[in-house]
Amino acid sequence: MAKIEEKMLPIYVELNRPGITTEEVEDVYARWVKDYDKDMADLNYFVSSNNAYVVEKALKHKNDALILDAACGTGLVGVELTKRGFHNLHGLDRSTAMLEQAKQKGIYKKMMCASLGPNRLGIPDDTYDAVVMSGAVGSGHVDGSCLEEFIRIGGYVVMDTTLKFFHRVSYQGKSWDEIIDNHIMAGRWVTVTRRLVEQSFNSLDGIQYAFQVK
């Protein structure tokens, strides 16, 4: 694959500053929300369609499956899932501004404002056939502390990381991949796919993950 240059929108650079806090991230998204979808298209954001494809394969075209789009943002993954015939979608994000933008797309039957982390979500065990999270791992965003909750509430878990950013995140001294592997070794989930995706976002390589909860 021919290498393309990474694009550097000022607000994108601001968002991905090392050490950015959760509060600063929320402020950036509130300012970016109106142009977010357009800018993601300009930044070659293939992650949404890639993850929707993996969800489709995992669920074997079960279009009535209940799916949680975690860290849904403006609903880009939800749009891709809808294109594949899924209509039973819930969206969750901590940014009220992003949720309001997603609401306008009319693709989620339920929307929740909540943070992803070690905190227990107000969702019963085994609620979802699948949980999908795209483009959310990084400084001031999401770390591996949310994975235990995904296991509790989901059947399949489909996620991605961007290699440039996910090395910056850890939880209780453990990296993202260490936490994933701990759950594998504990028998909580099994790997469906774990692969390198070249130029998955803005010329940057990433890793795509899919796990089946046991």
Side-chain angles (χ1 to χ4, degrees), residues 2-211:
K3 188 65 177 176
I4 59 177
E5 292 296 320
E6 182 180 3
K7 296 179 181 178
M8 289 296 184
L9 299 178
I11 200 161
Y12 165 77
V13 174
E14 181 182 356
L15 183 67
N16 292 297
R17 173 175 55 82
I20 191 170
T21 66
T22 299
E23 292 74 19
E24 289 170 331
V25 165
E26 193 156 350
D27 174 69
V28 172
Y29 280 128
R31 289 185 279 115
W32 196 6
V33 65
K34 295 299 182 184
D35 295 321
Y36 185 82
D37 288 6
K38 174 182 68 66
D39 287 348
M40 285 295 102
D42 290 343
L43 293 171
N44 300 313
Y45 188 69
F46 301 125
V47 171
S48 295
S49 58
N50 289 347
N51 283 344
Y53 172 78
V54 173
V55 170
E56 182 181 38
K57 291 297 183 183
L59 295 176
K60 298 179 173 61
H61 306 278
K62 181 186 174 184
N63 294 128
D64 62 345
L66 182 58
I67 302 171
L68 176 65
D69 184 0
C72 65
T74 61
L76 296 178
V77 178
V79 169
E80 294 297 329
L81 289 168
T82 301
K83 289 178 183 177
R84 287 162 173 77
F86 294 103
H87 54 82
N88 210 3
L89 309 178
H90 292 178
L92 181 150
D93 202 278
R94 74 176 180 221
S95 169
T96 55
M98 298 293 264
L99 283 172
E100 186 58 37
Q101 194 75 6
K103 183 179 180 180
Q104 295 176 24
K105 292 182 170 67
I107 54 178
Y108 297 108
K109 290 188 174 179
K110 181 178 181 179
M111 306 190 75
M112 295 165 276
C113 186
S115 296
L116 294 171
N119 51 295
R120 186 179 177 92
L121 298 169
I123 298 170
D125 295 355
D126 306 317
T127 292
Y128 295 103
D129 295 292
V131 176
V132 59
M133 181 176 72
S134 298
V137 180
S139 296
H141 287 70
V142 174
D143 58 39
S145 64
C146 70
L147 300 181
E148 189 168 343
E149 273 296 275
F150 288 174
I151 290 169
R152 183 182 67 79
I153 65 176
Y156 287 91
V157 179
V158 176
M159 311 174 291
D160 68 88
T161 58
T162 303
L163 293 179
K164 181 176 179 179
F165 305 129
F166 92 107
H167 294 296
R168 300 174 184 169
V169 303
S170 63
Y171 176 68
Q172 295 183 340
K174 295 178 181 177
S175 71
W176 171 263
D177 276 338
E178 284 178 310
I179 295 173
I180 283 176
D181 291 337
N182 285 348
H183 289 309
I184 292 172
M185 290 185 288
R188 299 186 184 104
W189 60 14
V190 295
T191 304
V192 176
T193 187
R194 190 171 183 169
R195 67 187 184 97
L196 175 70
V197 181
E198 294 184 352
Q199 299 181 16
S200 62
F201 171 57
N202 191 18
S203 83
L204 303 175
D205 296 340
I207 303 292
Q208 185 173 58
Y209 307 83
F211 301 99

